[in-house]
Amino acid sequence: MAPSPPETPAKEHTSELTEAEIAVHWKEEEGFIPQPKFIGQANLTDPAVNERFSLEHFPECFREFGDMLTWDKYWTQTLDSSNAPFYQWFAGGKLNASYNCIDRHLAQYGNKAAVIFVGEPEGEDPVALTYNELYARVNEFALLLRDFAGLKTGDRVTIHMPMVAELPITMLACARLGIIHTVVFGGFSGEAAGRRAADSQSRVVITMDGYYRNGKMIDHLQNLDVACETAKSEGQVVDKVLIWQRYPGKVSSAKPLVPGRDFLVNEAVKPFKNKIVAPVSMPSEAPLFLMYTSGTTGRPKGCQHSTGGYMAYAAGTSKWIQDIHPTDVYWCTADIGWITGHTYIVYGPLALAGTTVIYEGVPTFPDANRLWRIAERLGVNIFHTAPTAIRQLRKLAPDGPKNFRTVFKNMTTVGEPIEPTTWHWFYETVGKGKAAVTDTWWQTETGGVVCTTKPALDKMKPGSAGPGAPGIHCVIFDENGNEIPPGSNRAGNICVRNPWPGLMQTIWGDPEKFKRQYFVKYNKNPNSKDWRDWPYFAGDGAMESADGYFRILGRIDDVINVAGHRLGTKEIESACLTVPEVAEAAVVPIMDEVRGRLPEVYVSLKPGIQPSKAIEDKVVRAIETEIGKIARPSAVRIVPDMPKTRSGKIMRRVLASISNTMEVGDITTLANPDIVEQIRLQVQGTGKVQTKAAAPEIKDFGAKSE
Ligand code: WT7
């Protein structure tokens, strides 16, 4: 297991060059007006929504979201903020998430497709699961969880699965019984899954034998034993594993099952076929799931989301921002292993009786037009994706979309800023100038979108995420807590003034850290129990234009957003340090044309050890083992020494400047200033390299002093 470096409070991040600071800036553009045809059918067209959701009407405005759900017991208080910044939404209410996603739709939509699964191999036809069928599958699996695996309400379960229809079935079965699920992205390593199982104290793991990715069957089950060993080494015994088979009855993995621990779902589920279990009525504030995400420390933290508040926010934003109707075919290309997939593949669309598409594979298999073929065949009319995918497809097949009869009405993006050139291609070529483009900014912590345009009401502006979503009141603070006014062309830290139902409840097992990480920075009175005193600090740099649109610049902490996925530099550094030859490691973000940012690794070696390609490869492998291929670095640079301050702190800012060919700035305070030119030559080559300054507005952004 990787050693965890000591925790550093946010204020001491003085040696980093963050994502936000290497952000590229583009010109403000004029807005685009949504098409009348879109407006004519949209769920949210009443401009009075702005007034209804003004701060004056907070928190009661969020009743509108709560009322989109079916409650077993209606709530007594919309928001209980008496223990701010720990909030209870729809307090006193009771409901069940799986009931809201399935049972309540059966009378009207039982025979309508709930989930359409598209396997990666093109020879396999898509498979549709109706709401009736989803109901049957979720019920039998819930019974398996309860009566075979011995799970009960409040227990945690770790789910390490690929993108298959069995994943939402598993999640909804947990939700039916009030079992808290922790879905781990299928591409994460066994170690990463095991650490999450340990942190969440899961004694049951649910996985799948294999899945297709990029034309190959991946032997996913190979991760399982490592996951269980890792969990055990951290004090958590996994005593039961439920294994879905990609092809029921057929073996797709070479890993032998561990007798007494590993069980095949399609065998074990037989006694429960066609049996029904009543949904457990859960308090609104009962946790629905944990979603681990990278933060400033070495260990990912478990973001805990509630049942009532989260579901209300998922339903409300899916209805108003994604514009999902029961008649739509909606496709979000994210992975369910991330928060986007939880909210906008599973819980939001299903709460609205929508049809949600799940695609197993990569967007470029077997070619860069695969997504358009799927969309055309299934009649997808709402398409939700990430800028990184758009950039990649544009690069590979710029005219591809023109050859398809796809008709999108709303195309939403998430994960990173979408720069105007990419935006325009998406709008004109993919959307054929007819679809609304909706850029949504949010985070694992926020449960649902936070900044976005309301697609039928607000003009779209390439490069801007838009104003706060209904009921979300954003503000930009400088380092000293002064508000940066809109239109001042200065960047700062984006915060939300008020709580909202989708906001995570706490960090699993660490409420103090929750408070410290997100609320202490701009709190003026630690004893206050008034929500107004606890602005939510998002950890992103942003600018607000005069019209109230927010442009997101990127993370201001040790987090790197790689192709819309969040990785902690400290986590990657810990992985590097598992290589015995490595003495020190520093990971910095580097700009990438397609993936936004990539981690670049600098290591120094222990005395007497010579640099070699073999050591570089070892470092890459260590990262893949500890985290997963997703964290693979752009380069591993073995340097003779790290640039350090006199107190011995590695100046990552200098390394990041070199990697991004930016000016290194003042290095006079370094203990070893000569090393900088040496590293620069090594990385940039011998010639004199043109360096560029950070964007001017960003220059004075953040108080950086050593
Ligand atoms: C970080 C959150 C929940 C969305 C998936 C990622 C960046 C997210 C945007 C956007 C610019 C964005 C931020 C944020 N981000 N959406 N539309 N424009 N940046 O969730 O893994 O929790 O990452 O992704 O930096 O803090 P996540």
Side-chain angles (χ1 to χ4, degrees):
M1 200 223 97
S4 300
E7 190 164 320
T8 339
K11 277 202 178 123
E12 284 172 26
H13 292 158
T14 50
S15 62
E16 325 291 353
L17 186 68
T18 64
E19 276 199 345
E21 288 166 297
I22 60 170
V24 176
H25 285 266
W26 40 76
K27 224 174 90 247
E28 279 270 301
E29 289 198 27
E30 282 308 302
F32 288 70
I33 312 286
Q35 298 278 321
K37 194 170 168 209
F38 175 75
I39 299 172
Q41 61 77 61
N43 283 323
L44 179 64
T45 51
D46 181 3
V49 67
N50 292 327
E51 166 57 20
R52 292 205 313 274
F53 280 76
S54 67
L55 264 185
E56 212 172 294
H57 295 127
F58 179 85
E60 296 307 319
C61 54
F62 282 114
R63 279 179 172 268
E64 285 193 46
F65 286 7
D67 285 338
M68 291 181 193
L69 302 176
T70 305
W71 296 80
D72 303 332
K73 181 173 171 281
Y74 202 69
W75 68 85
T76 48
Q77 200 180 355
T78 306
L79 170 65
D80 177 353
S81 60
S82 58
N83 189 27
F86 300 91
Y87 302 105
Q88 289 193 7
W89 283 92
F90 310 115
K94 286 186 130 185
L95 78 168
N96 181 278
S98 99
Y99 178 89
N100 272 278
C101 289
I102 310 170
D103 306 39
R104 67 167 175 159
H105 306 317
L106 295 178
Q108 206 178 346
Y109 300 112
N111 286 325
K112 196 189 84 95
V115 173
I116 303 178
F117 170 69
V118 182
E120 196 192 65
E122 248 181 326
E124 285 182 21
D125 294 323
V127 180
L129 255 72
T130 62
Y131 274 93
N132 281 327
E133 182 60 16
L134 184 63
Y135 178 74
R137 303 282 301 271
V138 166
N139 271 281
E140 65 192 29
F141 195 75
L143 279 163
L144 178 84
L145 292 176
R146 191 188 72 182
D147 297 346
F148 179 79
L151 290 162
K152 50 185 197 318
T153 304
D155 286 351
R156 277 81 54 206
V157 159
T158 294
I159 303 172
H160 191 207
M161 285 177 65
M163 280 290 285
V164 288
E166 288 79 358
L167 179 49
I169 290 171
T170 304
M171 293 160 70
L172 289 162
C174 289
R176 195 162 189 85
L177 302 178
I179 294 164
I180 303 168
H181 59 69
T182 295
V183 179
V184 178
F185 170 55
F188 274 146
S189 65
E191 277 86 347
R195 282 199 285 272
R196 285 158 176 79
D199 191 84
S200 60
Q201 301 119 334
S202 302
R203 42 162 287 265
V204 172
V205 166
I206 304 170
T207 185
M208 187 171 243
D209 56 355
Y211 63 97
Y212 281 103
R213 199 182 152 78
N214 228 343
K216 282 200 296 282
M217 173 64 97
I218 305 283
D219 188 344
H220 181 65
L221 208 56
Q222 295 296 352
N223 296 308
L224 176 64
D225 293 344
V226 183
C228 294
E229 279 155 31
T230 306
K232 193 168 171 214
S233 73
E234 298 195 1
Q236 179 60 49
V237 173
V238 173
D239 59 34
K240 232 169 217 159
V241 176
L242 304 175
I243 302 166
W244 291 98
Q245 286 178 300
R246 174 65 173 78
Y247 298 101
K250 186 178 153 196
V251 176
S252 302
S253 164
K255 188 198 100 74
L257 302 190
V258 174
R261 188 197 69 184
D262 298 355
F263 299 91
L264 297 178
V265 170
N266 36 292
E267 298 294 329
V269 81
K270 281 181 184 153
F272 307 107
K273 282 276 170 199
N274 298 316
K275 297 213 166 83
I276 297 303
V277 56
V280 177
S281 197
M282 300 299 292
S284 177
E285 63 272 18
L288 178 62
F289 66 85
L290 308 179
M291 167 59 61
Y292 281 80
T293 191
S294 299
T296 45
T297 53
R299 302 213 45 126
K301 47 189 191 257
C303 296
Q304 179 184 317
H305 283 285
S306 71
T307 308
Y310 170 82
M311 284 300 298
Y313 202 67
T317 53
S318 294
K319 184 161 186 169
W320 285 359
I321 308 303
Q322 308 289 351
D323 197 47
I324 297 175
H325 303 62
T327 46
D328 290 323
V329 180
Y330 163 88
W331 182 15
C332 166
T333 67
D335 195 290
I336 295 174
W338 309 101
I339 190 74
T340 304
H342 276 51
T343 307
Y344 298 118
I345 298 179
V346 180
Y347 287 112
L350 295 178
L352 300 176
T355 296
T356 187
V357 176
I358 294 180
Y359 172 53
E360 177 180 37
V362 299
T364 49
F365 185 84
D367 59 68
N369 289 322
R370 180 68 192 276
L371 299 192
W372 319 133
R373 280 201 293 283
I374 294 173
E376 183 182 77
R377 174 164 175 153
L378 302 184
V380 171
N381 66 339
I382 308 174
F383 184 60
H384 185 32
T385 194
T388 184
I390 305 171
R391 288 185 211 116
Q392 190 184 26
L393 298 180
R394 173 173 177 238
K395 197 171 162 185
L396 295 172
D399 293 323
K402 291 182 184 155
N403 304 318
F404 295 89
R405 285 173 282 111
T406 47
V407 184
F408 298 124
K409 65 165 181 173
N410 192 16
M411 306 197 305
T412 48
T413 71
V414 65
E416 327 149 63
I418 173 163
E419 63 283 2
T421 43
T422 306
W423 193 98
H424 282 287
W425 183 76
F426 196 44
Y427 182 68
E428 281 134 32
T429 308
V430 179
K432 299 164 183 165
K434 296 201 173 88
V437 171
T438 311
D439 178 6
T440 64
W441 169 74
W442 58 294
Q443 311 175 298
T444 306
E445 292 86 340
T446 70
V449 309
V450 169
C451 275
T452 175
T453 47
K454 296 172 280 301
L457 284 171
D458 302 328
K459 60 184 191 322
M460 320 160 217
K461 205 203 275 182
S464 287
I472 303 282
H473 301 277
C474 295
V475 56
I476 297 185
F477 287 123
D478 69 15
E479 273 300 308
N480 306 316
N482 305 309
E483 286 188 21
I484 299 182
S488 59
N489 213 29
R490 274 167 61 216
N493 298 325
I494 187 165
C495 295
V496 186
R497 294 182 196 272
N498 58 293
W500 65 97
L503 176 63
M504 68 190 277
Q505 297 177 291
T506 186
I507 293 174
W508 180 255
D510 203 345
E512 275 312 305
K513 185 168 176 182
F514 170 70
K515 211 164 154 175
R516 212 165 54 235
Q517 190 98 37
Y518 304 108
F519 298 98
V520 164
K521 190 166 172 85
Y522 292 118
N523 167 265
K524 295 194 179 87
N525 172 10
N527 298 318
S528 171
K529 292 293 162 206
D530 185 341
W531 59 263
R532 290 169 195 81
D533 290 322
W534 297 95
Y536 168 77
F537 168 66
D540 275 323
M543 295 202 284
E544 184 178 2
S545 23
D547 58 6
Y549 276 50
F550 290 90
R551 285 205 276 168
I552 308 297
L553 301 169
R555 303 289 312 188
I556 57 156
D557 53 13
D558 318 333
V559 170
I560 306 183
N561 187 330
V562 180
H565 300 139
R566 194 158 141 187
L567 297 171
T569 54
K570 296 284 185 281
E571 264 171 277
I572 306 175
E573 288 169 7
S574 297
C576 299
L577 294 174
T578 63
V579 176
E581 292 87 346
V582 170
E584 287 182 303
V587 172
V588 298
I590 173 168
M591 300 280 279
D592 182 81
E593 201 191 314
V594 172
R595 310 225 292 156
R597 306 282 192 287
L598 290 174
E600 185 144 296
V601 171
Y602 287 84
V603 291
S604 66
L605 304 180
K606 288 181 183 154
I609 296 179
Q610 290 309 310
S612 67
K613 175 83 178 46
I615 296 177
E616 285 174 24
D617 293 345
K618 258 185 165 174
V619 170
V620 174
R621 247 173 298 138
I623 294 169
E624 288 181 359
T625 309
E626 293 293 324
I627 302 167
K629 286 200 166 66
I630 181 168
R632 197 188 285 158
S634 53
V636 175
R637 310 210 180 267
I638 302 179
V639 292
D641 196 7
M642 297 285 185
K644 282 189 191 142
T645 63
R646 293 199 183 97
S647 56
K649 206 159 158 181
I650 301 176
M651 286 284 274
R652 290 177 182 76
R653 143 186 294 279
V654 170
L655 298 172
S657 303
I658 294 172
S659 287
N660 290 285
T661 54
M662 284 161 63
E663 283 162 13
V664 289
D666 185 9
I667 52 165
T668 51
T669 57
L670 289 193
N672 54 348
D674 296 346
I675 197 73
V676 176
E677 182 56 14
Q678 225 174 306
I679 297 176
R680 195 193 68 76
L681 283 174
Q682 181 184 336
V683 173
Q684 299 177 354
T686 40
K688 174 97 182 94
V689 175
Q690 187 83 37
T691 58
K692 52 181 180 290
E697 328 64 314
I698 297 299
K699 262 227 157 136
D700 54 6
F701 166 56
K704 303 280 172 190
S705 59
E706 190 54 35

